[in-house]
Amino acid sequence: MKQNLKKYWPHIAIGTGILALISAVVYYQFRQKEEVQMAFAPDSSIYSKKNYTNLVLDSAALATFYRLHLVADSIQKDVSEFYRKRAYQYAWFSENTLTNAALSYNSQREAYISDFADSSLYNAEIDSLLLEAKTVGKAFLTDPQRVQKLELLLTTSFFNYTNKAFTGTVKNPLDLEWFIPRKKKDYQALLDTLVSTKGSTIREPVNRYYTLLKDKLRIYRGIEKQGGWGSIDVPKKALKKEDSDSSLIEVKKTLVLMGDLKEFDSTAIFTDSLAMAVRRFQHRMGLAENGKIDANTATELNRPVSFRIRQIMLNMERLRWVPDEIEPNMLLVNIPEFKLHVFENSVQSWMCNVVVGKEATKTSIFKGNLSNVVLNPYWVVTNNIINNEMLPRLKQNPGYLARNNMEVVSGDKVLNPYSIKWNSYKKNIPYTIRQKPGKTNSLGKVKFLFPNNYSIYLHDTPSKNLFGETARAFSHGCIRVSEPERLALHLLKNTPAWDEKKLESVWATQKEKWITVRPSVPVYIVYFTAWVDYTGQLNFRNDLYGLDKTLSAEIFGEEKTIL
């Protein structure tokens, strides 16, 4: 026997080795497949069997439920995929009872309905079945049909809720003149997380600015429930400190409700504390902060609480379109605010005034990446300005170009404007017109480029007086910056060679110089008429381009005359 073993041992060893190798390969492939499956799971921890229940849906039951409850195709797709991933096991029930996740989600849904006065998400069947399940406890599980109905009602309700609360209007934002890309949100993963974490509140997949504004909405809802504030009959003559007028009593009541005045006094006297409160209010409204109750201040004081609630809701809708996580280092221009905000490490470091496009030449809403600073820039005149403003003047006198430090170019060649037959063109001339660098150049000393389809950029301007205006919509669409030198230094801080002295030396030459910004800096051009600023104050602005009215018609189904 020993001799036989000795004789066949090499063959046995080889066979054993092959079997071991095959076993190792099979095990490795199994583990690799399992890891790949888990890697693509929204939250791999939820796929452990301990999170599942012995209650299982019949896939045919889904089709019946969809038909009876008229479930939209997009929601059907989400629900079916959700259950397919969990092998059709129930999500809202454990083996013994309704889960805490169901109660937690329902509370969040009810809060949304209350906050937004949105009855479209109300479902009497869910409320009735949940009350029954909580009342009778385990006995509810003895009726499988009712358990199944509540299970599917909760799931379809969840996808309806998240689509509305976190994604916003189904209309393409491009139709609403919003060109910042929207990130698709994975609500199946969100539901998986909810049902596997013992009913913790859903973390809203929205940015922090949305959450801050929602807190203010709840405050204003509370004010509305208490009757809001009344209309104030303010005299035409502006009221100032030490004046006396009966309307000041109502002004004080309103400012207390809004949080601008800390303590109410029933006198009809314009006190020091009221003057400070008026300035706070004017600051939040973007008005001249003169501490007087003038016509503009009176107009904003008389906006009813319902108007402000509608403004908040419209801007929360826009915030649903903004990415959940915004780059920590960026520039943000809010068009109705007429401000540029500079953010470093997710904190606003400074801001300055800007001039934006007029109603007829709106500044577009989009995101770009600032990649170049151009010193002593040429201003290349757009076809729109040439067609509507310059061509009629050139037909009368080509000397218009020289008087305005301009030249006409074909390729790299500068042409004599008197050699061109301007009268033969009605529009769209086959030449480029540009203004040379210099003190009178419309772009000033510097422009900031972030490639986009709208020919919009930030730039300096020789017309500094416009920055002192309260409403600053004067441009042809591009954005004029009140502190261009400071912005240039900020953008070039990672390029030590470009300090203030070097910039000044180039500006003195009046020769164009391009500088690459590394890394490029995100620029958001946005449109918010209500927001919470970095001090926690709720701000409102007027609807400069009428976009609130357009969005209101889309969301609420009608144009409100107050917008």
Side-chain angles (χ1 to χ4, degrees), residues 313-328:
M313 290 173 66
L314 290 172
N315 286 277
M316 288 180 72
E317 173 68 18
R318 291 191 180 104
L319 283 167
R320 293 182 181 112
W321 309 343
V322 174
D324 299 349
E325 297 296 332
I326 302 174
E327 295 88 342

Side-chain angles (χ1 to χ4, degrees), residues 432-483:
T432 297
I433 295 178
R434 65 185 186 183
Q435 189 175 39
K436 293 180 282 186
K439 293 182 178 179
T440 61
N441 185 283
S442 295
L443 305 185
K445 298 191 296 184
V446 58
K447 69 178 177 180
F448 308 91
L449 298 181
F450 38 104
N452 59 80
N453 296 325
Y454 317 103
S455 300
I456 289 177
Y457 46 85
L458 305 173
H459 64 88
D460 180 21
T461 176
S463 304
K464 306 291 188 183
N465 60 305
L466 295 178
F467 293 114
E469 299 291 328
T470 304
R472 296 183 290 276
F474 301 107
S475 81
H476 286 88
C478 287
I479 300 162
R480 306 173 194 172
V481 181
S482 64
E483 298 185 50

Side-chain angles (χ1 to χ4, degrees), residues 113-146:
I113 292 171
S114 175
D115 289 340
F116 292 91
D118 185 353
S119 61
S120 68
L121 292 175
Y122 173 73
N123 189 303
E125 283 188 295
I126 291 178
D127 288 351
S128 176
L129 288 170
L130 277 176
L131 178 60
E132 184 181 346
K134 287 188 290 184
T135 302
V136 302
K138 294 180 182 179
F140 187 78
L141 294 177
T142 60
D143 188 342
Q145 292 300 318
R146 296 176 75 72

Side-chain angles (χ1 to χ4, degrees), residues 188-224:
Q188 293 176 32
L190 190 65
L191 180 51
D192 276 327
T193 301
L194 174 65
V195 299
S196 67
T197 52
K198 302 189 185 302
S200 61
T201 303
I202 306 167
R203 190 190 74 80
E204 297 178 340
V206 287
N207 54 76
R208 63 189 181 92
Y209 302 102
Y210 175 95
T211 305
L212 291 170
L213 204 50
K214 186 172 75 171
D215 291 340
K216 299 297 183 182
L217 174 63
R218 287 175 173 167
I219 292 172
Y220 272 59
R221 283 285 184 208
I223 294 172
E224 183 181 45

Side-chain angles (χ1 to χ4, degrees), residues 291-347:
K292 300 177 183 179
I293 302 177
D294 51 23
N296 289 333
T297 304
T299 296
E300 297 306 322
L301 281 170
N302 274 312
R303 303 281 193 193
V305 68
S306 59
F307 177 90
R308 295 305 185 194
I309 287 173
R310 184 61 63 93
Q311 265 189 301
I312 292 171
M313 290 173 66
L314 290 172
N315 286 277
M316 288 180 72
E317 173 68 18
R318 291 191 180 104
L319 283 167
R320 293 182 181 112
W321 309 343
V322 174
D324 299 349
E325 297 296 332
I326 302 174
E327 295 88 342
N329 301 306
M330 65 163 182
L331 307 180
L332 184 146
V333 175
N334 186 16
I335 296 169
E337 186 189 10
F338 310 110
K339 291 282 188 183
L340 163 68
H341 302 263
V342 178
F343 286 85
E344 297 181 87
N345 299 318
S346 299
V347 176

Side-chain angles (χ1 to χ4, degrees), residues 19-30:
L19 285 172
L21 180 61
I22 292 172
S23 297
V25 169
V26 170
Y27 176 78
Y28 173 78
Q29 289 177 335
F30 171 80

Side-chain angles (χ1 to χ4, degrees), residues 102-371:
L103 303 177
S104 176
Y105 157 64
N106 194 57
S107 294
Q108 197 159 346
R109 179 182 64 91
E110 289 178 338
Y112 179 88
I113 292 171
S114 175
D115 289 340
F116 292 91
D118 185 353
S119 61
S120 68
L121 292 175
Y122 173 73
N123 189 303
E125 283 188 295
I126 291 178
D127 288 351
S128 176
L129 288 170
L130 277 176
L131 178 60
E132 184 181 346
K134 287 188 290 184
T135 302
V136 302
K138 294 180 182 179
F140 187 78
L141 294 177
T142 60
D143 188 342
Q145 292 300 318
R146 296 176 75 72
V147 171
Q148 178 177 279
K149 186 175 186 179
L150 180 54
E151 168 74 21
L152 294 178
L153 282 171
L154 285 169
T155 304
T156 52
S157 167
F158 177 87
F159 287 115
N160 275 313
Y161 163 71
T162 51
N163 274 292
K164 190 160 193 177
F166 304 145
T167 298
T169 176
V170 295
K171 189 180 181 75
N172 190 336
L174 302 186
D175 298 334
L176 300 169
E177 302 188 49
W178 183 279
F179 301 99
I180 298 174
R182 294 172 75 170
K183 182 179 179 181
K184 184 173 175 58
K185 297 178 172 69
D186 189 348
Y187 297 130
Q188 293 176 32
L190 190 65
L191 180 51
D192 276 327
T193 301
L194 174 65
V195 299
S196 67
T197 52
K198 302 189 185 302
S200 61
T201 303
I202 306 167
R203 190 190 74 80
E204 297 178 340
V206 287
N207 54 76
R208 63 189 181 92
Y209 302 102
Y210 175 95
T211 305
L212 291 170
L213 204 50
K214 186 172 75 171
D215 291 340
K216 299 297 183 182
L217 174 63
R218 287 175 173 167
I219 292 172
Y220 272 59
R221 283 285 184 208
I223 294 172
E224 183 181 45
K225 288 176 182 177
Q226 294 174 9
W229 49 76
S231 178
I232 306 170
D233 187 13
V234 179
K236 291 183 179 180
K237 181 182 177 182
L239 295 172
K240 61 184 183 303
K241 193 167 64 172
E242 297 183 357
D243 282 350
S244 180
D245 189 89
S246 59
S247 65
L248 293 175
I249 297 173
E250 288 301 317
V251 170
K252 291 175 182 178
K253 288 180 181 178
T254 298
L255 291 175
V256 166
L257 284 172
M258 292 180 177
D260 297 297
L261 182 61
K262 304 306 178 187
E263 294 183 1
F264 173 73
D265 75 83
S266 59
T267 69
I269 300 171
F270 205 127
T271 60
D272 286 341
S273 59
L274 177 57
M276 290 177 62
V278 169
R279 286 192 181 91
R280 288 191 197 98
F281 176 79
Q282 290 169 331
H283 178 78
R284 295 192 303 107
M285 302 297 134
L287 302 172
E289 297 174 38
N290 55 26
K292 300 177 183 179
I293 302 177
D294 51 23
N296 289 333
T297 304
T299 296
E300 297 306 322
L301 281 170
N302 274 312
R303 303 281 193 193
V305 68
S306 59
F307 177 90
R308 295 305 185 194
I309 287 173
R310 184 61 63 93
Q311 265 189 301
I312 292 171
M313 290 173 66
L314 290 172
N315 286 277
M316 288 180 72
E317 173 68 18
R318 291 191 180 104
L319 283 167
R320 293 182 181 112
W321 309 343
V322 174
D324 299 349
E325 297 296 332
I326 302 174
E327 295 88 342
N329 301 306
M330 65 163 182
L331 307 180
L332 184 146
V333 175
N334 186 16
I335 296 169
E337 186 189 10
F338 310 110
K339 291 282 188 183
L340 163 68
H341 302 263
V342 178
F343 286 85
E344 297 181 87
N345 299 318
S346 299
V347 176
Q348 178 176 290
S349 58
W350 57 281
M351 63 181 177
C352 66
N353 291 343
V354 297
V355 170
V356 300
K358 297 175 285 190
E359 169 66 20
T361 52
K362 299 174 183 176
T363 299
S364 298
I365 302 161
F366 68 99
K367 179 195 174 185
N369 287 291
L370 198 153
S371 54

